[in-house]
Amino acid sequence: MSISLIITDAGRAEVINADNTGTGPVTLTEVALGTGIAASNPTQTALQAEFKRLTTISGLAVADDTIHVTVRDETNAEYSFSEFGIFTDSGTLFAVYSAPADIMQKAAASSLNMALDVVLGTLDANTVTFGDTNFANPPASETVSGVSKVATQTETNTGTDDTKFVTPKKLKAWVKQATESVIGMLKIATQAQTDAGIDDTVAVTPKKMRFGFLIQKALPGYIVFPSWLGGFIIQWSFIPFTSSAVQVWTYPISFPTACINVSGLMFNAGASPYLSIESAPTTANVSLRNSTGAVAINGYVIAFGY
């Protein structure tokens, strides 16, 4: 119920006195109903025309300056009221409200269940308490357990209301395929989809983007490109010809499918050597010959494959 209760002067004084004397918090125990229609004011100590008292009152603090109050009447009484007040256990009218017309009506076969928030202004919500808190139904929040309304589909789609909860049905109806211009959801791509690079409706994770990538930044060394780049491999090394004009170079890692090219550069003072391939390269190694036939010569080689 969205109404503004007036904290009475007597109610405020009782809370302040209890806080100063260490006898607080003040306990709220009763709600009075009446038929008065004149505007309420903070000097009131009673209702204008009280006809009923209810002790089935519950509540709790829901903010630093706000208490949530719940009142029930499950009897077969029949009535309507245009004013009500909350009383402390000492009989002080703590808060009051009146309206020029009926606030609520109760039929004999129905129950009264009135819930409202009372803003205390400068008073701390922890300075008041309730005799019975077993059926308090405060509005739910991130810090208070309570009740909440179900969001409509429009509210779910808009995504700005932080006071209602979303059901699985409405969440599913909201979900949409993300595009370059629409915020939505995406399926994670498989490794095959990542490698193919064709599907524009799935998302690639860092793990799948990196899959297959290897690198050794040394001599010898290699770089294996990720699978979505075909798993292409480049390898390099230094080969000293110390015992024979022909040397077998075993790659740092084997090519999974084929070695497609081997190249090299040799250096030696006073000579112009070059490397030649002695036999077709395999996936594991290649035989190389230096052109001078000398053994005291060095070479740098590089191989390509996949």
Side-chain angles (χ1 to χ4, degrees):
M1 180 178 294
S2 178
I3 58 177
S4 299
L5 274 79
I6 295 175
I7 307 299
T8 66
D9 294 341
R12 186 177 299 277
E14 183 169 335
V15 169
I16 294 173
N17 180 65
D19 191 41
N20 290 336
T21 59
T23 58
V26 170
T27 303
L28 306 180
T29 57
E30 293 181 314
V31 170
L33 307 178
T35 56
I37 57 173
S40 300
N41 65 81
T43 63
Q44 281 184 240
T45 57
L47 296 189
Q48 303 167 48
E50 179 181 334
F51 68 83
K52 188 176 184 65
R53 288 268 179 128
L54 299 172
T55 58
T56 46
I57 174 176
S58 180
L60 74 166
V62 293
D64 292 341
D65 64 347
T66 306
I67 56 175
H68 181 80
V69 182
T70 302
V71 183
R72 287 183 180 177
D73 182 3
E74 297 180 335
T75 68
N76 59 2
E78 184 177 348
Y79 54 81
S80 60
F81 61 95
S82 54
E83 63 171 341
F84 66 91
I86 303 173
F87 283 81
T88 69
D89 57 353
S90 65
T92 301
L93 179 60
F94 175 76
V96 65
Y97 176 80
S98 62
D102 287 345
I103 298 171
M104 295 185 73
Q105 295 180 339
K106 179 186 177 304
S110 66
S111 298
L112 171 71
N113 193 350
M114 180 171 66
L116 60 147
D117 291 333
V118 181
V119 179
L120 303 178
T122 58
L123 297 179
D124 189 332
N126 292 316
T127 58
V128 296
T129 187
F130 295 82
D132 183 1
T133 59
N134 291 330
F135 60 88
N137 293 313
S141 70
E142 293 178 358
T143 57
V144 177
S145 298
V147 296
S148 179
K149 184 181 178 183
V150 176
T152 65
Q153 190 63 59
T154 299
E155 291 169 331
T156 302
N157 296 344
T158 303
T160 56
D161 193 329
D162 199 32
T163 64
K164 301 179 178 69
F165 67 87
V166 176
T167 63
K169 179 179 179 180
K170 292 189 175 70
L171 180 61
K172 183 178 180 180
W174 168 83
V175 172
K176 47 192 173 292
Q177 174 72 33
T179 67
E180 293 177 358
S181 59
V182 176
I183 297 175
M185 298 186 70
L186 281 175
K187 179 180 177 291
I188 293 177
T190 64
Q191 191 62 59
Q193 289 171 320
T194 303
D195 295 347
I198 298 173
D199 196 331
D200 199 32
T201 64
V202 293
V204 176
T205 64
K207 180 178 180 181
K208 293 192 174 71
M209 178 70 76
R210 185 183 171 88
F211 182 77
F213 176 77
L214 294 172
I215 188 169
Q216 178 172 292
K217 295 184 286 185
L219 190 67
Y222 53 82
I223 181 169
V224 182
F225 290 89
S227 61
W228 62 274
L229 288 177
F232 192 72
I233 302 172
I234 303 174
Q235 305 194 57
W236 55 90
S237 188
F238 168 78
I239 300 178
F241 286 81
T242 59
S243 60
S244 172
V246 177
Q247 292 285 348
V248 176
W249 175 35
T250 300
Y251 315 128
I253 59 174
S254 295
F255 291 101
T257 304
C259 175
I260 58 175
N261 182 270
V262 177
S263 299
L265 175 68
M266 303 198 72
F267 60 91
N268 187 46
S272 300
Y274 61 88
L275 275 177
S276 62
I277 298 175
E278 184 74 3
S279 59
T282 69
T283 57
N285 56 60
V286 62
S287 294
L288 302 169
R289 175 182 292 274
N290 76 71
S291 61
T292 66
V295 295
I297 196 168
N298 301 309
Y300 287 95
V301 289
I302 187 169
F304 305 86
Y306 57 93

